[in-house]
Amino acid sequence: MSEAQLVMRDLELVYPTAGVGPLNLELSPGGNLVILGRNGAGKSTLLRSLAGLLTPRSGQVSLGGHEVGAMSPGRRAEHMAFVASTPPRGSALTVGDVVGLALEAGSKSAGPSDVAAALEMADIADWIDVQLDTLSDGMAQRVMMARAFNQAGSMVLLDEPTAFLDVVGRREVMHDLGKWCASGKSVVLATHDLEAVEQAGWANRWLVLRTPEQGGSLLLDEAFNAQKARSILTGEA
């Protein structure tokens, strides 16, 4: 399942109660999906449903032909990784520990040389012995991105990963996501950062979550356009 297709079939989320489905979508390996919506539209709920962390109201999510909700946590971790808007705190783990655990979760070799190579690729090799808790939010988020890339065999789900980053940090994250798609990983990104997505240039599929009263959810297969996205979100289009 190293190259796995994500499929949503008649997916209805448990939140919001007004509903944004049913959602039907197929995402091929190396594909991307940008999820947009107003606050409370269900972006985080959709991501957690795709990750098997929430049971949908109805419908099905499958990855590589296997229903995500029926996978064991270990099997899901081998194929999917989740990046939240803020990195975890209150941990004594070093950066090397975090990436090493990610390699193990992805059933990859996690010896010292493997960890060093993974950190070098992420351009954070100098942080190997630094505790995660001592890093700034921006630096720690780079570690979480490296963790996700090295863990996931097929897909990375990201929930507002640039929310607390500066302009340079946002640009770096979006650039990395484009490289991940080129490497064959599928990227599903929930974000409000419309300009950063457009400037990165890799996004060509986007889903706007809306209730039936708002016209229903809208799936677009075209290059991402921040102005058009803003018009849809505000009801002007």
Side-chain angles (χ1 to χ4, degrees), residues 54-226:
L54 279 178
T55 301
R57 182 180 301 163
S58 61
Q60 187 181 66
V61 178
S62 63
L63 184 66
H66 302 273
E67 187 176 355
V68 170
M71 291 181 184
S72 68
R75 185 168 174 78
R76 285 201 302 266
E78 186 177 340
H79 299 289
M80 310 169 74
F82 187 92
V83 179
S85 59
T86 55
R89 293 304 189 183
S91 170
L93 293 176
T94 66
V95 172
D97 293 334
V98 171
V99 173
L101 289 170
L103 288 168
E104 290 179 2
S107 296
K108 302 178 180 74
S109 179
S113 61
D114 303 301
V115 172
L119 294 176
E120 186 68 37
M121 183 177 294
D123 200 25
I124 54 174
D126 291 343
W127 305 351
I128 188 169
D129 294 319
V130 178
Q131 283 192 358
L132 185 66
D133 261 7
T134 66
L135 298 175
S136 68
D137 282 345
M139 294 168 71
Q141 192 67 308
R142 287 181 64 187
V143 177
M144 291 298 101
M145 295 284 288
R147 174 199 61 80
F149 178 81
N150 284 283
Q151 175 188 320
S154 304
M155 175 171 299
V156 183
L157 308 164
L158 305 103
D159 192 2
E160 297 285 354
T162 63
F164 298 100
L165 302 184
D166 58 22
V167 173
V168 175
R170 294 199 300 271
R171 186 184 302 122
E172 289 175 343
V173 166
M174 292 299 176
H175 176 70
D176 285 345
L177 296 184
K179 291 195 299 183
W180 292 6
C181 291
S183 75
K185 282 184 171 58
S186 298
V187 168
V188 181
L189 168 70
T191 185
H192 289 293
D193 202 348
L194 308 182
E195 279 70 25
V197 173
E198 181 178 41
Q199 290 167 9
W202 51 262
N204 55 22
R205 198 169 209 203
W206 28 311
L207 174 65
V208 185
L209 297 180
R210 303 186 301 185
T211 65
E213 291 74 17
Q214 296 167 329
S217 295
L218 184 62
L219 178 65
L220 297 98
D221 286 296
E222 59 187 59
F224 188 85
N225 182 285

